[in-house]
Amino acid sequence: MSEAAGPARVDRGPARRYDPDRRQRIIAACLDVIAERGVAGTSHRRVAAAADVPLGSMTYHFAGMAELLQEAFGAFTGTVAATFERRMAPATDEESARAAVVALICDDLLGVDRELVLTHELYTLAAREESYRELTNAWMRASRAALERHFDPATARILDALIEGLTIHRALDTVPHDRALVVDAVERACAG
Amino acid sequence: MSEAAGPARVDRGPARRYDPDRRQRIIAACLDVIAERGVAGTSHRRVAAAADVPLGSMTYHFAGMAELLQEAFGAFTGTVAATFERRMAPATDEESARAAVVALICDDLLGVDRELVLTHELYTLAAREESYRELTNAWMRASRAALERHFDPATARILDALIEGLTIHRALDTVPHDRALVVDAVERACAG
DNA sequence: TCGCCATAGGTACGATCGTACACATCGCGG
DNA sequence: CCGCGATGTGTACGATCGTACCTATGGCGA
């Protein structure tokens, strides 16, 4: 009858779980909380609840809130940069590369606009604190490097800015993106 | 000897000041606090201290934190939109209009990058809450209208996105902007 | 001139937060 | 097989916050 779950613990005291990658789970839960309630609404207690770990685990695994946020956003930028890279990679000629850029601007990278919220939260931190700016700089360098494998440096920079701006407009605008306009914009940017 | 300051109040009880535009001063102080400590670090107490008013004035003049932030960012977007408009207005032909756009991208609108921090804070709120999105939408409409007095609609939209993206890159990048690149980008955007 | 009420000012309350800390548990090296 | 240190857990403390609320003041209409 008994489930073969671990070394048959008798219920002596509170449940203690063997949880090798608890740190990773906390980081993932932290990003969920940030996406839902913002950095301002992110607390040790809420992250702990989301990750299903006791409050004490927070101070054990992370020196403080700052370290937790730093690691969470590090994981976030890594994921997004990898997705960006993967989406651009298949393009062989410049035309397909342009199509890939258009798709990047018009589509979500990760689910329902979650990454847009997280991006703004990160930018807000980066606008004020040096340590986060290093994170965003690394991210920007990665994006630009990915673009420069398909376009010349000047065009890559302009496309990078265009992606940034149009993505923000997509996030903040109530009307959906006009795909034809995006195509037009990308073509102009490439027509140097 | 006595300073001729007001109606010669005797020091009966705590100082009470006649302060007709206290509301406005609180809003201005609120923006200062946000610029310095972020929305997350903005509290009634800190704003009250910055505006040099007692804590009780906060709840008297504003129904709550949300109303205060809403009004503060309303004042902010109004100011920035007006500055944008004023900087674009003098342009008569398209060439001078393009020069104005380049200047807008490369220069600060209001002092030492203060508006960049505030902009990110606002975007972060707007990415999550509808009420702030109305604010950013109105702002975007105003910017686009200002651009459309000098460019055709499609170009105006692209320029708008370009301004957005390049401004963000200026805020987050450690290296200063290359003005030649900005000129190039604006020219490509106008070359539809 | 007088009294009313919009405005100003001080303080207390309950909630929430970050963090510290004492204790429990058990994988694993010796 | 043992014990010790890495890891997990529960709780308490002091700080800060938003807000409510009561009192005091004085500009201004009657």
Side-chain angles (χ1 to χ4, degrees):
Chain A
M1 51 179 73
S2 69
E3 346 167 14
R9 228 184 58 84
V10 290
D11 188 40
R12 182 188 325 131
R16 176 194 166 86
R17 288 179 293 167
Y18 180 54
D19 204 357
D21 42 27
R22 172 170 291 203
R23 246 186 91 94
Q24 280 307 113
R25 201 149 40 80
I26 290 176
I27 289 176
C30 181
L31 286 174
D32 286 341
V33 173
I34 295 173
E36 197 175 344
R37 329 260 309 208
V39 168
T42 298
S43 67
H44 276 160
R45 284 170 173 82
R46 270 203 259 265
V47 175
D52 191 30
V53 301
L55 177 59
S57 278
M58 294 293 122
T59 56
Y60 177 74
H61 286 285
F62 302 92
M65 201 69 210
E67 183 177 313
L68 174 57
L69 289 178
Q70 195 76 219
E71 299 219 24
F73 277 113
F76 170 67
T77 57
T79 303
V80 177
T83 304
F84 188 97
E85 171 70 35
R86 183 159 19 88
R87 294 267 233 123
M88 286 299 300
T92 51
D93 55 354
E94 200 191 288
E95 190 184 321
S96 58
R98 273 185 295 191
V101 169
V102 170
L104 274 170
I105 293 174
C106 292
D107 306 343
D108 285 347
L109 264 68
L110 306 166
V112 278
D113 287 325
R114 182 188 129 110
E115 84 278 13
L116 287 174
V117 173
L118 290 173
T119 300
H120 282 302
E121 296 281 353
L122 174 57
Y123 284 177
T124 298
L125 292 178
R128 197 182 321 282
E129 283 181 46
E130 183 66 33
S131 55
Y132 294 101
R133 214 166 311 146
E134 287 168 17
L135 223 52
T136 56
N137 275 328
W139 185 11
M140 280 169 49
R141 273 195 303 274
S143 304
R144 207 168 300 163
L147 287 172
E148 282 178 358
R149 266 198 288 281
H150 302 90
F151 305 95
D152 66 283
T155 302
R157 254 197 98 117
I158 296 174
L159 278 177
D160 199 20
L162 202 62
I163 292 172
E164 193 79 58
L166 283 173
T167 303
I168 287 183
H169 284 188
R170 176 166 67 82
L172 265 33
D173 219 330
T174 48
V175 309
H177 251 167
D178 180 0
R179 198 175 187 97
L181 178 119
V182 175
V183 172
D184 182 25
V186 171
E187 271 172 9
R188 290 196 202 187
C190 294
Chain B
M1 49 183 69
S2 71
E3 345 167 14
R9 233 185 53 85
V10 289
D11 187 41
R12 182 187 324 131
R16 176 195 167 85
R17 288 177 294 167
Y18 179 53
D19 204 357
D21 41 28
R22 170 170 293 203
R23 243 186 93 92
Q24 279 308 113
R25 202 149 40 80
I26 291 176
I27 289 175
C30 182
L31 286 174
D32 286 342
V33 173
I34 295 173
E36 197 175 342
R37 330 260 308 210
V39 168
T42 298
S43 67
H44 276 160
R45 284 169 173 82
R46 271 203 259 264
V47 175
D52 192 29
V53 300
L55 178 60
S57 278
M58 294 292 123
T59 56
Y60 178 74
H61 285 285
F62 302 92
M65 201 69 210
E67 183 178 313
L68 174 57
L69 289 178
Q70 195 75 220
E71 298 220 24
F73 277 113
F76 170 67
T77 56
T79 303
V80 177
T83 304
F84 188 97
E85 171 71 35
R86 183 159 18 89
R87 296 265 233 122
M88 286 300 298
T92 53
D93 55 354
E94 199 191 289
E95 189 185 321
S96 58
R98 271 184 296 190
V101 169
V102 170
L104 275 170
I105 293 173
C106 291
D107 306 344
D108 285 346
L109 265 68
L110 307 166
V112 278
D113 288 324
R114 181 187 129 109
E115 84 279 13
L116 287 176
V117 173
L118 289 173
T119 300
H120 283 301
E121 296 281 353
L122 174 57
Y123 283 176
T124 299
L125 292 178
R128 198 182 320 282
E129 285 181 45
E130 183 65 34
S131 55
Y132 294 101
R133 215 167 310 148
E134 288 169 15
L135 223 52
T136 56
N137 275 327
W139 184 12
M140 281 169 49
R141 272 196 304 272
S143 304
R144 206 167 299 164
L147 288 172
E148 283 179 356
R149 268 197 289 282
H150 302 90
F151 303 95
D152 67 281
T155 302
R157 255 197 97 117
I158 296 174
L159 279 176
D160 200 19
L162 202 62
I163 292 172
E164 194 79 58
L166 284 172
T167 302
I168 286 183
H169 283 188
R170 177 165 67 81
L172 264 35
D173 220 330
T174 47
V175 309
H177 250 165
D178 180 0
R179 198 176 187 96
L181 178 120
V182 175
V183 172
D184 181 25
V186 170
E187 272 172 8
R188 290 196 201 185
C190 293

